[in-house]
Amino acid sequence: MKNFALPLASLSAALVLAFGTSAAQAQQVTIKFSHFLASNSNFHKGVAEPWCAAIEKDSGGKMKCQLYPALQLGGTPPQLADQVKNGVADVVWTSPSYSTGRFPRTEALELPFSLPPGSLAGTRAMWDYTQKHGMEDYKDFKVLAIFSGSNVVISTANKPVMSMEDIKGLKLRSPSRFTSLFLSSLGGTPVNMPVAAVTEGISKGVIDGAMAPWEILPAVKIDEVTKYHIEGPANLAGFSQTPFAVLMNKKKYESLAPELKAVIDKNSGLAMSELAARAWDKGNDEARKKLAAQGNKLLVIKDADYKAMVKASAGVEADWIKQATAKGLDGAKLAADVHAIGNKYLGK
């Protein structure tokens, strides 16, 4: 009997171990996280990787990420919103600006001269505005973060842009529809092209420069083909900003165990938004230092010229208010609120 009992005991222990291991494995959740930049980008290193490390740590290893940079799951940046909505990815980083008309309330965040120039201050304003007015735009998603790509800077190859007269006739790469409208209102010619093509476009004379945030300039070597970089006063709203969003598939979030939902909630919202903003501001600061050290000219336009640009571009906001109102939104209120919220964070 003793000889028979021993194998049974061993078998029982083996079964418990096997089932226990299987149950533990079943509890592990992998989050497929897709975005459009390379694995050495500011977003990947400064946002995606730290966020993934945080949810793995806070979940005790029950949840981890599989990162897919540079659109490894296929598609284009404008298609990322549909990819996460349809479950191709569990989480994506994209910009609402890539999908004209899809996020109508969010468009107010792109209006010229509406938000602080820095990413952290701009992000806090964007988050406040989104919580107050914008969540209906994201009813098909779980919103993990809304953050600012920070103020665009006017970078040129051959002459500085210090007034509206300097902009007239210039061909500048524009990152978004509203930046294009802003540039056109000042007499410039916006050119839409992928950011990876900008450096070659400037070097070949196809365009005269670009409108892009500081941190992008050295990342794609725009700083090597431009000499002048111009922005407005630090205590006033920036030329234009691009809102970014980190979105999660709703069904994926709802399928998580309560304790894993709590981990996502802890590491999303304003917390993740500020994580991204600080990474952007750090990148901006490093870019400024690099450009100054290599002899590029970092310039700030005078108050009088800034005010002239604000006045000349006012029609962009007026036209957007009409378009938003035609869609059944209170365009005037949305525009007024984005300015009011932006002003609250100026200088902070």
Side-chain angles (χ1 to χ4, degrees), residues 16-29 60-63:
V16 169
L17 180 62
F19 281 114
T21 302
S22 178
Q25 290 174 340
Q27 291 175 353
Q28 290 182 344
V29 175
K62 293 180 181 178
M63 190 161 49

Side-chain angles (χ1 to χ4, degrees), residues 113-116 125 235-237 336-348:
F113 302 109
S114 60
L115 295 176
N235 63 333
L236 297 174
D337 270 12
V338 80
H339 283 287
I341 293 170
N343 286 338
K344 183 174 75 170
Y345 288 100
L346 272 174
K348 294 183 179 181

Side-chain angles (χ1 to χ4, degrees), residues 173-246:
R173 183 262 178 179
S174 170
S176 69
R177 180 168 71 99
F178 279 89
T179 305
S180 295
L181 293 171
F182 163 71
L183 184 58
S184 295
S185 72
L186 303 182
T189 301
V191 179
N192 294 317
M193 65 170 58
V195 68
V198 172
T199 300
E200 183 178 3
I202 296 172
S203 65
K204 291 184 176 180
V206 175
I207 54 177
D208 300 300
M211 296 187 75
W214 287 108
E215 61 97 19
I216 287 291
L217 303 179
V220 294
K221 300 183 179 181
I222 294 174
D223 61 312
E224 296 180 8
V225 293
T226 55
K227 299 176 183 177
Y228 308 101
H229 312 279
I230 303 92
E231 61 183 343
N235 63 333
L236 297 174
F239 298 142
S240 179
Q241 294 198 16
T242 299
F244 287 117
V246 182

Side-chain angles (χ1 to χ4, degrees), residues 33-51 67-72 80 93-94 98 147 195-196 215-221 244 275-276 278-284 286:
F33 192 153
S34 176
H35 66 84
F36 56 92
L37 290 184
S39 58
N40 63 348
S41 65
N42 189 19
F43 179 81
H44 192 92
K45 292 291 187 183
V47 185
E49 287 185 345
W51 184 81
L67 286 165
Y68 295 92
L71 296 171
Q72 290 176 0
L80 285 167
W93 170 50
T94 186
Y98 298 156
F147 68 96
V195 68
E215 61 97 19
I216 287 291
L217 303 179
V220 294
K221 300 183 179 181
F244 287 117
L275 169 70
R278 289 189 173 95
W280 246 249
D281 279 339
K282 179 182 178 183
N284 288 336
E286 291 174 350

Side-chain angles (χ1 to χ4, degrees), residues 27-269:
Q27 291 175 353
Q28 290 182 344
V29 175
T30 299
I31 302 295
K32 295 183 293 183
F33 192 153
S34 176
H35 66 84
F36 56 92
L37 290 184
S39 58
N40 63 348
S41 65
N42 189 19
F43 179 81
H44 192 92
K45 292 291 187 183
V47 185
E49 287 185 345
W51 184 81
C52 289
I55 66 165
E56 183 169 359
K57 178 182 177 182
D58 290 348
S59 68
K62 293 180 181 178
M63 190 161 49
K64 61 181 181 179
C65 290
Q66 178 63 54
L67 286 165
Y68 295 92
L71 296 171
Q72 290 176 0
L73 293 179
T76 63
Q79 293 172 336
L80 285 167
D82 279 331
Q83 285 188 4
V84 74
K85 179 182 175 181
N86 298 331
V88 175
D90 299 318
V91 173
V92 299
W93 170 50
T94 186
S95 172
S97 305
Y98 298 156
S99 305
T100 300
R102 184 171 187 169
F103 305 97
R105 298 160 186 83
T106 305
E107 289 179 357
L109 297 174
E110 300 179 65
L111 294 174
F113 302 109
S114 60
L115 295 176
S119 183
L120 184 58
T123 290
R124 287 170 173 164
M126 284 188 178
W127 185 255
D128 282 5
Y129 172 88
T130 302
Q131 293 303 295
K132 185 175 181 181
H133 296 296
M135 291 307 292
E136 180 65 18
D137 283 357
Y138 304 99
K139 61 185 179 181
D140 295 329
F141 310 93
K142 166 69 175 175
V143 176
L144 300 186
I146 301 288
F147 68 96
S148 166
S150 71
N151 180 46
V152 295
V153 179
I154 301 174
S155 298
T156 51
N158 299 314
K159 70 171 186 176
V161 173
M162 298 301 292
S163 69
M164 282 179 50
E165 289 300 316
D166 296 329
I167 292 179
K168 289 180 179 178
L170 284 183
K171 293 180 290 183
L172 299 175
R173 183 262 178 179
S174 170
S176 69
R177 180 168 71 99
F178 279 89
T179 305
S180 295
L181 293 171
F182 163 71
L183 184 58
S184 295
S185 72
L186 303 182
T189 301
V191 179
N192 294 317
M193 65 170 58
V195 68
V198 172
T199 300
E200 183 178 3
I202 296 172
S203 65
K204 291 184 176 180
V206 175
I207 54 177
D208 300 300
M211 296 187 75
W214 287 108
E215 61 97 19
I216 287 291
L217 303 179
V220 294
K221 300 183 179 181
I222 294 174
D223 61 312
E224 296 180 8
V225 293
T226 55
K227 299 176 183 177
Y228 308 101
H229 312 279
I230 303 92
E231 61 183 343
N235 63 333
L236 297 174
F239 298 142
S240 179
Q241 294 198 16
T242 299
F244 287 117
V246 182
L247 306 173
M248 186 172 187
N249 178 273
K250 254 189 171 181
K251 290 182 179 178
K252 182 72 172 185
Y253 173 77
E254 291 168 355
S255 72
L256 297 176
E259 64 271 20
L260 297 186
K261 284 183 182 177
V263 170
I264 295 292
D265 292 344
K266 174 187 175 184
N267 290 284
S268 64

